[in-house]
Amino acid sequence: MENERAIHQRSGLLTAQQIQQQSEQLFTHPLNPEATRHTKSLGDAVGLERLGLHQVRVEPGKASTQFHYHHYEEEFLYILSGRGIAEIGDAQYEVGPGDFMGFTAPSLPHSLSNPFAEDLIYLMGGERREYDVCDYPRIKRRQFRSQRHRQLVDWTEES
């Protein structure tokens, strides 16, 4: 008998009940210990290879990532429930259900945090290129990624 993952990959379907039952993976951003998110990898469950798609839950008082932007990979977020504060460039925006953010490559630096009393839940998606460069301008770090290998370096003004 086929395992459940193989069935999802063949059909491309995950039901709402299957998504609800999927276990969350805890991720803490290596450059921001306050950035912890609970993720369900929807795209992986149906076999997507060139596109990452995740349902993410950020607890009250936590952030989703370190303020950053990608040089080669586009990404997006679509808020499902709860509220958050999106920092995009020098501006801050309160976001809630139905709000969408799309980031070209490169884009303005951005991050998302949850200072509110309830969980923030959103869809996060983006490209999975073989390589990318990601800048963290507030902490002056740059990450080079080639396939699954990552190298973090100090970011100088000449970089």
Side-chain angles (χ1 to χ4, degrees):
M1 183 171 190
E2 277 187 283
N3 70 31
E4 194 169 327
R5 183 178 175 120
I7 292 169
H8 296 314
Q9 288 180 351
R10 189 182 71 234
S11 70
L13 172 66
L14 281 177
T15 65
Q17 181 180 14
Q18 291 165 329
I19 293 169
Q20 185 178 13
Q21 292 172 346
Q22 189 181 46
S23 62
E24 294 179 329
Q25 301 298 311
L26 178 64
F27 173 79
T28 301
H29 197 284
L31 299 176
N32 181 355
E34 292 302 311
T36 59
R37 58 185 186 237
H38 304 268
T39 303
K40 295 181 179 188
S41 293
L42 308 179
D44 291 346
V46 297
L48 294 180
E49 294 179 5
R50 295 184 301 247
L51 178 69
L53 182 62
H54 312 280
Q55 180 180 296
V56 178
R57 180 175 61 86
V58 177
E59 296 175 55
K62 297 294 182 180
S64 66
T65 189
Q66 175 65 37
F67 192 69
H68 73 287
Y69 66 94
H70 296 270
H71 286 260
Y72 298 102
E73 292 183 335
E74 293 187 333
E75 61 184 329
F76 71 86
L77 295 102
Y78 179 79
I79 308 299
L80 298 171
S81 65
R83 296 179 298 147
I85 300 296
E87 290 188 73
I88 304 171
D90 294 329
Q92 292 187 2
Y93 306 91
E94 184 174 327
V95 294
D99 289 338
F100 176 81
M101 293 167 272
F103 301 104
T104 59
S107 68
L108 289 173
H110 51 273
S111 65
L112 182 63
S113 62
N114 180 6
F116 301 104
E118 64 184 72
D119 286 347
L120 170 63
I121 300 174
Y122 58 93
L123 287 178
M124 174 178 68
E127 297 178 275
R128 290 181 169 172
R129 292 180 175 238
E130 289 188 30
Y131 59 88
D132 191 24
V133 175
C134 185
D135 282 345
Y136 302 94
R138 288 189 179 150
I139 61 171
K140 301 293 187 202
R141 305 297 302 268
R142 174 170 283 167
Q143 178 178 263
F144 296 93
R145 182 183 51 75
S146 177
Q147 298 170 339
R148 297 200 183 273
H149 302 285
R150 298 171 191 268
Q151 180 182 11
L152 193 63
V153 298
D154 290 332
W155 178 19
T156 63
E157 294 305 317
E158 296 84 38
S159 294

